Amino acid sequence: MSRTYSSELRTARARANRHLVVDTARRMFIEEGWTATTMAKVATTSGLTRQTVYQQFDSKLSLLDACIDHALSDGREVPVREMPEYQQMGKGDRGSRIAAGARWLSGAHERSAEIQNVLDQAAVTDKQAAARLAIREHTRWAEVEWATSLILGRGPTEEVVDGMWALTSRRLWLMVVRDRGWSAERWRLWFVAQTEAMLAPH
């Protein structure tokens, strides 16, 4: 009984440490950038030893990866495609589906655009980060294809997916929301209009 309790305690402590490191690193990556944020600084700011941090993450890139995944999932341990708000893209008429897609994507960008932008910056000078970014963008294309198929009710053409992949870009979101000062609501209305125009012939 005591061994089981001790094991559960260690597991709970490791999970708590992981969450603490991810939360701390996310804040530091966004505020200080890729280069200035080091594993040692994350450990110190978290109040943990470097060894404890490295037990959870074997590199700074894997830590950034975890920060991105946590932001995208909103901290929920549920596959994105199974989330109720995501599945709304497959319900109702096309207008309702596009509006659901706009709400979903707006929330995802609000949670994750800034931390994903750190990977964009890292990829400029770090080959491993560039390789990871390429994988993530390939995955994002596949997710855009799936979401567009929900909205259309059938498989989209590659040209349509390419267009939606560009339209849904976090870089575009950051350009108009962060840099130009658009509200999230203004972006959603614009996104709906652009998506309706793009998908109208289909």
Side-chain angles (χ1 to χ4, degrees), residues 81 132 134-144 165:
R81 294 181 185 182
R132 187 66 190 122
I135 292 170
R136 280 196 171 273
E137 282 301 296
H138 179 78
T139 300
R140 188 173 74 82
W141 192 96
E143 286 302 317
V144 169
W165 180 66

Side-chain angles (χ1 to χ4, degrees), residues 63-126:
L63 176 53
L64 176 58
D65 229 19
C67 291
I68 293 172
D69 286 339
H70 182 79
L72 285 170
S73 68
D74 199 17
R76 289 181 280 180
E77 296 181 1
V78 179
V80 168
R81 294 181 185 182
E82 294 180 15
M83 293 179 180
E85 59 269 41
Y86 186 96
Q87 293 180 346
Q88 288 299 310
M89 284 185 276
K91 299 177 181 179
D93 59 24
R94 182 175 291 187
S96 298
R97 294 178 182 210
I98 292 173
R103 290 192 300 273
W104 163 261
L105 188 58
S106 176
H109 281 327
E110 287 182 292
R111 295 191 305 271
S112 69
E114 291 282 5
I115 189 64
Q116 290 195 79
N117 190 50
V118 175
L119 180 58
D120 295 335
Q121 295 168 355
V124 175
T125 57
D126 188 302

